[in-house]
Amino acid sequence: MANFDHKEIEAKWSKIWDDTNLYKTPEKIASKGKKYVLGMWPYPSGAGLHVGHVEVFAATDIYSRYLRMNGYSVIHPMGWDSFGLPAENYAIKTGIHPSIQTQKSIVVFKNQMERIGLAYDWERELNASDPEYYKWTQWIFIQLFKKGLAYKAKAPVNWCPSCETVLANEQVVDEKCERCDSVVTQRLMEQWFFKITDYAQRLLDGLNIIDWPASTKAMQRNWIGRKEGHKIKFDDIEVFTTRIDTLHGASFIAIANDSQEGFVGKYVTNPATGKKIPVWRADYVLDTYGTGAVMGVPAHDERDLAFAKKYNLEIIQMQPDPTMEKYGQKKVQYRLRDWLISRQRYWGTPIPMVNCEICGWQPVPEDQLPVKLPTDVDFRPTGESPITRSKTFQKGVICPKCGKSAKREVDTMDTFVDSSWYFLRFCDPTNLNAIFSKDKVKAWTPVDLYIGGDHATTHLIFARFINMFLYDIKLVSVPEPFVKFYKNGHVLGEDNRKMSKRWGNIVNPLEIVDKFGADSLRLYEMFMGPLDMAKVWNTSGVEGVYRFLNRLYRKFETTFNLDGDIGSLNKITNQLIGRVTRDIENMTFNTGIAAMMETFNKMSDATGNWRLAWRQFTLVLAPFAPYLAEEMWQKLGHTDSVHSQRWPEYDPAMVIDEKITMVVQINGKVREKFELDSGEAGEDKIKQLALESAKVQNYLKGASYRTIFVPCKLINFIVNTK
RNA sequence: GUCGGGAUGCUGAAAUGGUAUACAGUUCAGUCUCAAAAACUGAUGGGCCGAAACGCCCGUGCGGGUUCGAGUCCCGCUCCCGACACCA
């Protein structure tokens, strides 16, 4: 028998869903309430959608469809994190402007997303590199500046001498440039920072009220790195320590070193002992943490000991003494550092600041936003920001304060700024007068379910920070933007390695769609295992779910019209509804799909009203396999979409099996099984049956015993051996 | 080193403290076919006893413990993955 024609039904239903605007976000929120479901917006790369994207997007798609069927008003939007280095590098190589390449990639991505049946409201589509979007990214920068939370200061940055450009930390791998393998050096440059350190404690506290994976929370806690300790003065040198109880063992002071290790040539007083101790420069002391100086206690710290041994410094043996606390002052120290957002790159949001020789840095007046990215720019790297070379960018720029001629900032912002607030703009994506309407954001936020990669110490902390800032200036109504976050595990290539051109192990999701259909692709990726675990791709697994869908549809075609009395079918589909409901709620889609397969396997032996059974099955299948479910729904005689139906109710009374297998254990080992009517499976009955069994008798043999009875499960005879 | 997560058949994996290996894949055998593919049926942790059936033993990384009963809880390890890392 022929397989169902996935290409035909996908084309047919895609068009109808599009024409009827089926996935439009409702204007008014239903009495049941709202749900905001979001997958991290992707960078639209030239390579098109990756199977890893599909995993995230299929998961939010299933969940949002389920919530919609449960009567919630659901917002499930999508957009493009389109600024960034890959497009710029491509431009350097080919001369094609990044906006052209980006636009092309977006078209490809969007097409591919539609082909895998993702239920997005495209009327809310956003694009980070669109001036209508980055205008408001700039606006946020100015609000931060006005509150003293954006400032410019000298800072060391990563510099690739061969590419002649600044690199982000993520682009430095083992101290080498990710692209050309040159050793990266540090340069001191004037940079813009966001003062995220002001929010350190609140970012830490907020973790207690959100439902995130333990690992992501732990990473953020470590990153913030709160430590309670003491500041201690050794004359004019102040140190930070968490072990003030070892103060009397401090035999030297080590300060951060900007040239070479060695004795500074001066002594300071240990306040606890009154002794003079030497001050040394040491490699292991960081300028950026604490006070940039530590007290050296060789007897209690390995690094201090190593240093003391190396330079033959005194090692004082002692026991910790809590009374030392009186020599210091309590101090909370964080590891978190301010967020460096300047980039000497072209393809990003221009920093909306003007430098005046008299008035200093001034924000561009808000009515002059956006500061548009100039198009007359040679992207080739020369060591300065490419925008410097624009002939138009600085034309007629005046200081907003004094009106004299001034210069614009030529750096752009880190793309993580763009993605720190996009989830808010989705609530009111086309607003021309404001960043968004407060009411609309209040209505839809927080995000109820957020799924994506584990950017614990980048995107996920930056977005919390920006949201918290917007909360402080009363634009946003909740301090935490993402109530529940799920991270997806990586999908590895068939050879167990990260998918990469280098290994030639990349699976193109669209090839899978062509061959097996969008439903099979979705189902397979969800069936592979738990969402957050790393998975290895296996194409024969796709064939497995494909076979399942074909078997299902063939059976459907020959039975969907059969009416009949309520038979065993009704019970199995009721059980299915119960299981799949629970599995979607728990985000364990793999077991939900297994439940559908199991149910289908059972259906071949069952009897009853097939039409009713298929109706239930189709509704349960709909979030997972939207195309096939829609086709089945139509065959069942409906004229409206399966995706606007209510999620089926199940009758708990129907779910109880009338036959129960009771197990008889002897000392915890299974020795006998009985099938019983559920009404009869009481303790007395099962005990009587067990005692009648020759096998059980053999084990009991007149020995004394007691029993443990677990209703509907088992009876355990504990025999007194000896 | 610190923090987090894991370890179950040949593989992906399932299992509110209660019948371990559901659901798939793989492989093998069979049906159909001139043949192959597809589809369908069956088998697929190790061992023992057997002609077969029935049955028995061992099995969830290792060693202990709690419990009538442990993949699951507790203590101590080993290994793997991820993040951070001279953070005082």
Side-chain angles (χ1 to χ4, degrees):
Chain A
M1 218 183 294
N3 291 333
F4 72 94
D5 188 341
H6 60 261
K7 285 195 176 169
E8 190 195 310
I9 69 171
E10 282 167 16
K12 175 172 76 181
W13 292 114
S14 280
K15 185 167 186 315
I16 291 171
W17 294 339
D18 205 32
D19 290 348
T20 55
N21 211 353
L22 186 62
Y23 305 122
K24 189 176 157 57
T25 313
E27 292 298 334
K28 284 217 169 118
I29 288 169
S31 57
K32 183 109 187 230
K34 68 89 190 175
K35 292 284 178 185
Y36 189 165
V37 182
L38 185 63
M40 281 181 191
W41 66 347
Y43 176 80
S45 75
L49 221 50
H50 184 271
V51 289
H53 289 123
V54 176
E55 189 195 14
V56 173
F57 302 148
T60 63
D61 194 65
I62 290 165
Y63 197 66
S64 65
R65 285 173 186 275
Y66 167 78
L67 292 173
R68 197 179 289 120
M69 291 176 83
N70 274 280
Y72 291 100
S73 295
V74 174
I75 181 168
H76 182 227
M78 185 40 68
W80 318 106
D81 190 12
S82 55
F83 272 138
L85 204 56
E88 188 167 344
N89 289 341
Y90 188 77
I92 291 165
K93 218 161 57 183
T94 62
I96 297 170
H97 195 274
S99 68
I100 294 167
Q101 184 52 37
T102 301
Q103 214 48 54
K104 266 193 196 163
S105 300
I106 287 174
V107 170
V108 170
F109 261 64
K110 194 169 165 180
N111 261 321
Q112 295 186 338
M113 284 177 170
E114 289 186 305
R115 284 203 56 199
I116 55 177
L118 299 174
Y120 293 127
D121 175 4
W122 288 109
E123 288 180 9
R124 288 176 188 256
E125 179 179 358
L126 289 177
N127 178 357
S129 59
D130 178 350
E132 278 308 312
Y133 181 85
Y134 70 66
K135 170 181 178 176
W136 301 107
T137 307
Q138 294 174 335
W139 186 85
I140 290 173
F141 182 101
I142 291 168
Q143 308 315 306
L144 285 160
F145 180 78
K146 285 181 175 168
K147 296 282 177 189
L149 293 167
Y151 65 93
K152 197 165 195 186
K154 271 207 167 159
V157 292
N158 302 307
W159 180 262
C160 173
S162 138
C163 304
E164 291 191 83
T165 183
V166 163
L167 299 175
N169 286 331
E170 306 82 58
Q171 292 167 302
V172 181
V173 180
D174 291 332
E175 294 178 18
K176 284 179 188 161
C177 172
E178 159 189 80
R179 274 194 295 156
C180 69
D181 262 358
S182 319
V183 175
V184 169
T185 59
Q186 297 284 301
R187 269 198 180 187
L188 212 56
M189 294 173 86
E190 282 265 318
Q191 303 285 303
W192 285 99
F193 289 88
F194 286 167
K195 217 169 177 183
I196 191 172
T197 51
D198 270 14
Y199 283 73
Q201 189 59 50
R202 288 171 64 197
L203 288 168
L204 192 61
D205 293 340
L207 293 172
N208 298 325
I209 61 160
I210 52 182
D211 182 6
W212 284 24
S215 63
T216 311
K217 284 190 183 187
M219 271 186 239
Q220 290 206 349
R221 284 199 186 99
N222 290 344
W223 191 256
I224 295 166
R226 181 192 155 100
K227 285 243 173 92
E228 288 179 15
H230 292 83
K231 283 193 295 191
I232 309 166
K233 284 210 151 183
F234 290 71
D235 300 336
D236 61 328
I237 296 177
E238 192 169 52
V239 305
F240 172 76
T241 181
T242 53
R243 292 300 306 272
I244 196 166
D245 56 336
T246 63
L247 172 60
H248 51 302
S251 58
F252 64 95
I253 294 291
I255 60 174
N257 143 54
D258 48 10
S259 48
Q260 267 212 297
E261 286 195 332
F263 181 48
V264 173
K266 97 177 198 184
Y267 293 82
V268 292
T269 318
N270 180 330
T273 60
K275 266 171 79 173
K276 291 282 183 194
I277 58 173
V279 180
W280 283 70
R281 283 191 222 284
D283 264 347
Y284 74 93
V285 180
L286 297 175
D287 198 21
T288 49
Y289 185 76
T291 62
V294 302
M295 60 179 200
V297 185
H300 272 266
D301 184 283
E302 273 181 44
R303 289 154 310 181
D304 294 348
L305 181 65
F307 192 77
K309 280 187 171 162
K310 187 171 172 191
Y311 294 106
N312 208 13
L313 302 171
E314 190 186 0
I315 297 166
I316 303 170
Q317 298 297 338
M318 49 55 195
Q319 287 306 309
D321 174 4
T323 67
M324 289 293 143
E325 230 188 290
K326 59 179 178 275
Y327 296 107
Q329 205 186 335
K330 278 204 168 134
K331 160 104 170 112
V332 175
Q333 177 69 40
Y334 297 93
R335 206 198 71 117
L336 185 70
R337 290 166 60 189
D338 280 339
W339 176 14
L340 193 166
I341 60 104
S342 303
R343 296 290 183 270
Q344 290 72 41
R345 291 183 195 155
Y346 171 70
W347 190 234
T349 303
I351 294 173
M353 296 296 290
V354 166
N355 195 14
C356 168
E357 283 187 1
I358 302 154
C359 310
W361 285 105
Q362 297 296 325
V364 171
E366 289 172 21
D367 59 8
Q368 290 173 26
L369 297 180
V371 174
K372 280 202 181 167
L373 197 55
T375 49
D376 59 333
V377 169
D378 179 359
F379 321 114
R380 275 170 303 179
T382 61
E384 57 180 5
S385 287
I387 297 176
T388 314
R389 278 164 270 159
S390 163
K391 295 206 169 59
T392 56
F393 194 60
Q394 301 290 5
K395 232 180 203 165
V397 176
I398 53 161
C399 169
K401 204 171 167 189
C402 69
K404 295 224 170 76
S405 152
K407 284 212 151 172
R408 285 192 197 285
E409 174 61 80
V410 291
D411 286 353
T412 55
M413 287 187 231
D414 179 4
T415 55
F416 280 122
V417 183
D418 308 329
S419 54
S420 289
W421 71 281
Y422 76 108
F423 48 93
L424 299 170
R425 182 75 179 173
F426 274 139
C427 301
D428 189 12
T430 54
N431 196 323
L432 294 172
N433 307 312
I435 182 165
F436 43 70
S437 129
K438 280 191 224 179
D439 288 343
K440 286 184 178 172
V441 162
K442 188 175 180 185
W444 288 111
T445 60
V447 175
D448 296 282
L449 177 70
Y450 195 33
I451 304 183
D454 195 3
H455 302 284
T457 56
T458 52
H459 165 60
L460 287 170
I461 204 160
F462 297 145
R464 290 183 61 219
F465 160 58
I466 294 295
N467 186 85
M468 220 174 257
F469 166 70
L470 295 172
Y471 171 78
D472 285 352
I473 62 170
K474 309 253 181 311
L475 282 173
V476 170
S477 51
V478 287
E480 287 295 339
F482 313 122
V483 172
K484 192 186 186 89
F485 167 67
Y486 260 86
K487 64 172 173 181
N488 67 301
H490 280 138
V491 180
L492 303 172
E494 219 141 3
D495 55 1
N496 213 341
R497 287 190 288 210
K498 204 177 158 190
M499 283 192 193
S500 145
K501 270 188 201 162
R502 188 165 156 202
W503 306 122
N505 60 356
I506 295 178
V507 176
N508 178 355
L510 267 288
E511 277 174 28
I512 304 293
V513 171
D514 280 339
K515 214 163 163 189
F516 304 106
D519 290 334
S520 294
L521 173 68
R522 295 166 58 112
L523 223 51
Y524 170 64
E525 289 213 30
M526 295 299 104
F527 186 56
M528 286 172 96
L531 212 56
D532 59 342
M533 283 239 264
K535 302 155 200 81
V536 177
W537 184 271
N538 179 2
T539 299
S540 58
V542 189
E543 289 171 37
V545 291
Y546 177 69
R547 279 197 285 265
F548 162 65
L549 290 179
N550 277 306
R551 272 201 299 270
L552 182 86
Y553 190 64
R554 283 199 300 269
K555 182 76 179 174
F556 172 84
E557 276 189 307
T558 56
T559 54
F560 74 89
N561 257 330
L562 303 177
D563 285 316
D565 295 334
I566 296 288
S568 53
L569 273 173
N570 193 37
K571 178 180 296 295
I572 6 192
T573 48
N574 258 285
Q575 286 172 333
L576 175 69
I577 295 165
R579 286 175 70 180
V580 176
T581 302
R582 199 187 57 222
D583 286 332
I584 295 180
E585 301 270 356
N586 295 337
M587 305 286 295
T588 50
F589 300 138
N590 54 331
T591 49
I593 293 162
M596 289 191 252
M597 291 170 166
E598 237 175 289
T599 301
F600 175 68
N601 293 343
K602 271 195 223 163
M603 280 168 82
S604 49
D605 302 326
T607 56
N609 186 320
W610 282 92
R611 178 191 291 280
L612 179 64
W614 282 119
R615 182 196 143 83
Q616 306 286 63
F617 205 119
T618 303
L619 288 167
V620 165
L621 182 67
F624 296 89
Y627 289 109
L628 185 60
E630 190 75 300
E631 183 72 12
M632 287 161 67
W633 190 248
Q634 190 206 37
K635 281 241 160 76
L636 285 167
H638 302 277
T639 50
D640 50 356
S641 170
V642 71
H643 303 299
S644 34
Q645 303 307 311
R646 297 311 290 270
W647 185 254
E649 298 269 328
Y650 71 100
D651 179 357
M654 279 305 304
V655 175
I656 298 162
D657 277 306
E658 62 262 323
K659 289 278 183 195
I660 287 178
T661 306
M662 288 292 289
V663 168
V664 181
Q665 294 184 337
I666 311 289
N667 292 335
K669 291 207 162 156
V670 180
R671 297 299 178 186
E672 184 67 281
K673 293 175 189 179
F674 296 104
E675 274 242 320
L676 294 170
D677 289 343
S678 59
E680 303 208 291
E683 184 168 359
D684 294 345
K685 173 78 179 177
I686 183 68
K687 198 164 176 178
Q688 179 204 331
L689 279 171
L691 292 174
E692 281 166 9
S693 148
K695 228 169 119 185
V696 173
Q697 282 170 15
N698 193 36
Y699 283 101
L700 297 179
K701 262 194 198 133
S704 65
Y705 62 82
R706 62 195 178 90
T707 57
I708 304 268
F709 175 73
V710 183
C712 301
K713 293 276 185 198
L714 54 81
I715 187 162
N716 189 3
F717 287 80
I718 301 112
V719 180
N720 229 336
T721 49
K722 175 80 212 150

